[in-house]
Amino acid sequence: MDEAMQPTAIDLETREAFGALLERHRGILFKVANSWSRLPEDRADLVQEIAMQLWRAWPQYDPARSFSTWMYRIALNVAISFGRGDGRRRRHLVPLDDTHDIADHNAADHETEQQVELLQRFIRAQKPLDRALLILYLDERPQREIADILGVSEANVSTKIGRLKQRIRNEL
C-alpha cells in the first residue's frame, strides 16, 4: 500500500475515539431500532444506517456536549426517515404472527413479557415525535435533555409525557 492510501495517525485516532464512544453507547442504537422496526433484518439495517450517519456527522460533533444526546438526536432522525421509507416499502405486506414460544417460562415471566409487548406495540403505534419522546423518557433521560434532543421546549416535553402516560393508562 502506498503512503497516500495508508490511514494517518489522526484518522486511526479518530476512528478509535468514535468506535469507543459508539460501543459505550450502543444500547441507544438498539433501543431506537427496536422501537422503529419489527423485523430483525429491518432492525439490523436501521442500526447500520444509524451508525453510518453517526460516522458521517462525527466531524461536526462537539466534545463539550453530551455524546449520548448527540447520538440520540441523529439516531431518532434516521429512524424517523427510515420509518417513512419502511412504510412505503411495506404498505401492502401483512406480517406473519410474531409471537414467541414461551412454554418454558413461568407465569410471572409470561405476564411481564405480555406487558412489555403491549408497551412496545403502544410505542410503535405512536407518531414519530411521541415515539421518540417515549423512548427517551423510558431511558430516564432528563426533560431538559429530551427537549434538547427533540428540539422542543421543556414545557412541551412535560405536557406530552403527561398526556402519553394518561393514554397508556387508558389503553393498556
Side-chain angles (χ1 to χ4, degrees):
M1 184 182 278
D2 66 27
E3 287 185 36
M5 296 295 289
Q6 290 184 358
T8 65
I10 294 172
D11 290 339
L12 291 175
E13 203 174 288
T14 299
R15 286 184 206 163
E16 288 175 3
F18 175 77
L21 284 168
L22 190 62
E23 181 62 29
R24 190 172 334 143
H25 297 283
R26 71 186 189 139
I28 291 171
L29 294 174
F30 297 109
K31 285 175 194 168
V32 171
N34 287 334
S35 297
W36 254 265
S37 302
R38 290 181 59 179
L39 301 174
E41 58 272 12
D42 290 343
R43 286 192 294 266
D45 288 348
L46 181 53
V47 166
Q48 186 173 7
E49 181 66 23
I50 292 168
M52 185 177 68
Q53 294 303 326
L54 287 165
W55 176 248
R56 284 184 178 160
W58 179 247
Q60 288 79 40
Y61 170 64
D62 177 5
R65 299 180 61 79
S66 164
F67 180 80
S68 62
T69 300
W70 176 81
M71 185 176 184
Y72 258 124
R73 179 176 281 173
I74 291 172
L76 290 169
N77 284 328
V78 171
I80 290 167
S81 295
F82 186 86
R84 288 181 187 133
D86 189 50
R88 287 190 294 272
R89 286 190 303 272
R90 299 187 182 279
R91 186 172 291 139
H92 301 291
L93 296 179
V94 178
L96 297 174
D97 183 18
D98 61 349
T99 60
H100 304 285
D101 181 16
I102 54 174
D104 295 335
H105 299 292
N106 65 36
D109 288 344
H110 179 66
E111 184 176 329
T112 300
E113 285 180 14
Q114 286 180 324
Q115 290 172 342
V116 168
E117 178 59 30
L118 285 172
L119 182 59
Q120 288 173 340
R121 285 184 189 162
F122 177 84
I123 292 171
R124 282 192 299 263
Q126 302 310 302
K127 293 183 241 176
L129 180 63
D130 289 345
R131 190 183 307 185
L133 186 96
L134 282 168
I135 291 168
L136 294 166
Y137 177 76
L138 292 172
D139 197 29
E140 299 178 349
R141 297 291 173 168
Q143 287 188 7
R144 176 174 287 156
E145 184 178 353
I146 294 171
D148 186 38
I149 290 169
L150 299 179
V152 297
S153 70
E154 281 186 66
N156 196 348
V157 168
S158 180
T159 300
K160 285 184 166 292
I161 288 172
R163 289 179 183 160
L164 285 165
K165 283 181 179 179
Q166 186 58 48
R167 285 183 52 208
I168 289 171
R169 283 195 277 294
N170 293 343
E171 294 183 28
L172 303 182

